[in-house]
Amino acid sequence: MLKSIDKINFEKRNGIIPVIVQDIKTKDILMLGYANREALSKTVETGNAYFWSTSHNRLWMKGEESGNIQPVEKILVDCDSDALLYLVDSAKPVCHTGNRSCFHNELAV
Amino acid sequence: MLKSIDKINFEKRNGIIPVIVQDIKTKDILMLGYANREALSKTVETGNAYFWSTSHNRLWMKGEESGNIQPVEKILVDCDSDALLYLVDSAKPVCHTGNRSCFHNELAV
């Protein structure tokens, strides 16, 4: 089913909802970011992954400093419309450590 | 690298951090939930996916009503220790709609 941007429930999470970023080819999970309506709109408009920085309170394009931009091929929405999934097509690192994925640590149990 | 539960930065997100749930075999993303320290501890202790319900403010085991429990094989932590990834081994539906995944809608662009 298709959902329009007007159906996304930003209000439920105080204007900012989580965004999972997944590699469209390998299906690896790359990072977890956040988006407000503006970040999602910019992602749709430009085709590159935009987020809302919760630590710096500003709109932010992935790769704006590193050059590792992440082109978004598809955006999925969850069943209650308060979480997003950006499917990206790139082989560039997403993590500031240089790893492709930010999820490179395992919980010790 | 291994990270202990004491290194998880729950405080940064007011005690509750996002949890991505991914099928360990197909690598499909199944849902986005939330965990506080108690939910993570119960997940580690029991081997089943536990969450903190942000709408009902209570600890919650996935499948407690539906029977569709999700055994967690591995838990990954992101680079700044404020997001989790549960890798689950099950073929049971995760979504209340009966879908395996909650991410079954595409954003209309």
Side-chain angles (χ1 to χ4, degrees), chain A residues 3 27-28 106-108, chain B residues 3 27-28 54 75 106 108:
Chain A
K3 268 191 198 179
K27 298 178 84 173
D28 289 336
E106 190 171 341
L107 189 77
Chain B
K3 269 190 197 178
K27 298 177 85 173
D28 288 336
T54 59
I75 301 173
E106 189 172 341

Side-chain angles (χ1 to χ4, degrees), chain B residues 14-63:
Chain B
N14 299 315
I16 297 167
I17 62 176
V19 183
I20 305 164
V21 181
Q22 186 180 32
D23 186 307
I24 197 166
K25 287 179 184 145
T26 65
K27 298 177 85 173
D28 288 336
I29 294 174
L30 305 177
M31 62 173 278
L32 188 288
Y34 294 87
N36 59 2
R37 195 188 162 91
E38 186 188 7
L40 179 57
S41 298
K42 284 289 278 184
T43 301
V44 169
E45 186 189 316
T46 64
N48 290 326
Y50 274 82
F51 302 93
W52 182 258
S53 166
T54 59
S55 41
H56 300 103
N57 283 310
R58 67 172 184 92
L59 185 71
W60 160 73
M61 185 185 78
K62 186 71 203 171

Side-chain angles (χ1 to χ4, degrees), chain B residues 69-97:
Chain B
I69 59 168
Q70 301 291 324
V72 177
E73 293 296 309
K74 196 188 279 194
I75 301 173
L76 300 180
V77 184
D78 79 342
C79 56
D80 53 359
S81 304
D82 65 350
L84 299 171
L85 171 51
Y86 290 173
L87 289 153
V88 301
D89 190 4
S90 163
K92 291 179 177 170
V94 160
C95 191
H96 71 285
T97 58

Side-chain angles (χ1 to χ4, degrees), chain A residues 1-3 13 18 22 26-29 34 54 74-79 85 102 105-108, chain B residues 1-3 13 18 20 22 26-29 34 54 74-79 85 102 105-108:
Chain A
M1 206 176 93
L2 287 176
K3 268 191 198 179
R13 307 266 170 215
Q22 185 179 32
T26 65
K27 298 178 84 173
D28 289 336
I29 293 175
Y34 294 87
T54 59
K74 195 186 280 193
I75 301 172
L76 299 181
V77 184
D78 79 342
C79 56
L85 170 51
C102 293
N105 296 299
E106 190 171 341
L107 189 77
Chain B
M1 208 175 91
L2 286 176
K3 269 190 197 178
R13 308 266 170 215
I20 305 164
Q22 186 180 32
T26 65
K27 298 177 85 173
D28 288 336
I29 294 174
Y34 294 87
T54 59
K74 196 188 279 194
I75 301 173
L76 300 180
V77 184
D78 79 342
C79 56
L85 171 51
C102 292
N105 296 299
E106 189 172 341
L107 189 77

Side-chain angles (χ1 to χ4, degrees), chain A residues 8-19 32-39 51-58 81-84, chain B residues 13 32 34:
Chain A
I8 309 299
N9 196 348
F10 290 106
E11 297 68 31
K12 184 172 167 191
R13 307 266 170 215
N14 298 314
I16 298 168
I17 62 176
V19 183
L32 188 288
Y34 294 87
N36 58 3
R37 194 187 162 91
E38 186 187 7
F51 302 94
W52 180 259
S53 167
T54 59
S55 41
H56 300 103
N57 283 309
R58 68 174 185 89
S81 305
D82 66 349
L84 299 171
Chain B
R13 308 266 170 215
L32 188 288
Y34 294 87

Side-chain angles (χ1 to χ4, degrees), chain A residues 4-8 10 15 17 19 34-52 59-61 72 75 84 86, chain B residues 107-109:
Chain A
S4 80
I5 196 166
D6 293 330
K7 298 290 183 200
I8 309 299
F10 290 106
I17 62 176
V19 183
Y34 294 87
N36 58 3
R37 194 187 162 91
E38 186 187 7
L40 178 58
S41 298
K42 285 289 278 185
T43 301
V44 169
E45 185 189 316
T46 65
N48 290 325
Y50 274 82
F51 302 94
W52 180 259
L59 186 72
W60 161 71
M61 184 186 77
V72 177
I75 301 172
L84 299 171
Y86 289 174
Chain B
L107 189 77
V109 293

